[in-house]
Amino acid sequence: MTEELIIAGFGGQGVLSMGKILAYSGLMEGKEVSWMPSYGPEQRGGTANVTVIVSDKRISSPVLNTFDTAIILNQPSMDKFEAMVKPGGILIYDSYGIHKPPTRKDIYVYRIDAMDAASEIDKRGFNMIVLGGFLKLRPIVSLKSVLEGLKKSLPERHHKLLPMNEKAIQVGIELIQLISEPTTK
């Protein structure tokens, strides 16, 4: 099993945190992992992305040109990374902030309305809703490990948010919707 993933959006959407939690989770399960963030100096509001690789085998390089899965949270990231999903791969997007949905016909496209759901739960759970949707499609790590990874990545003063984040993950598992399947194999 090897999953090569990019998560991309605006700074402040929890892009880097999602990747970090997946990496921690993979480490706890004895897997090989790579976590490579990329973000502009403006941080909140600027673009950010993180490449995560989780594998049962050694990872030869953290640098990728194509991805098994892309999680896209804004239009600039859609414009940049849609073409980099491998044929037959998965593209997950949140419809909030995407005015031009994906057009590829050789990949699986899923939508998750995480921003809408987060406004009902807690806006801080947005990225965990998205992560829950991803884990439903690609259970590369266990939910138990994700919750432990979340606990390790959150400062102790924020541990009171763990139940809300667990609920957000469950909401994401329920929310993700298949929009289109590959028409070419």
Side-chain angles (χ1 to χ4, degrees), residues 7-123:
I7 306 169
F10 288 125
Q13 287 184 302
V15 168
L16 302 182
S17 296
M18 270 191 279
K20 190 180 201 179
I21 292 162
L22 281 171
Y24 271 139
S25 302
L27 280 174
M28 287 184 291
E29 293 183 3
K31 296 179 174 152
E32 299 290 321
V33 300
S34 170
W35 177 79
M36 195 166 77
S38 173
Y39 49 91
E42 57 277 321
Q43 294 178 353
R44 191 168 291 278
T47 58
N49 67 73
V50 62
T51 300
V52 179
I53 305 170
V54 178
S55 181
D56 293 333
K57 301 175 278 206
R58 284 183 64 115
I59 297 168
S60 59
S61 172
V63 178
L64 299 171
N65 296 318
T66 59
F67 306 95
D68 299 312
T69 303
I71 298 174
I72 307 295
L73 303 177
N74 66 6
Q75 192 63 53
S77 297
M78 181 71 77
D79 297 341
K80 183 174 183 179
F81 296 113
E82 178 182 3
M84 296 181 180
V85 178
K86 295 174 186 174
I90 296 172
L91 187 146
I92 300 168
Y93 74 99
D94 179 65
S95 58
Y96 188 85
I98 303 286
H99 57 271
K100 200 173 90 188
T103 57
R104 299 246 327 252
K105 302 294 183 209
D106 62 341
I107 60 174
Y108 292 89
V109 176
Y110 290 85
R111 188 182 80 221
I112 187 161
D113 296 327
M115 188 62 77
D116 294 338
S119 65
E120 293 175 22
I121 302 171
D122 187 320
K123 289 200 185 299

Side-chain angles (χ1 to χ4, degrees), residues 148-168:
E148 190 60 34
L150 181 59
K151 189 175 183 180
K152 284 184 181 278
S153 66
L154 278 177
E156 198 168 317
R157 69 182 183 277
H158 294 304
H159 282 191
K160 65 183 179 286
L161 299 174
L162 291 171
M164 179 274 297
N165 280 289
E166 184 173 2
K167 179 180 179 186

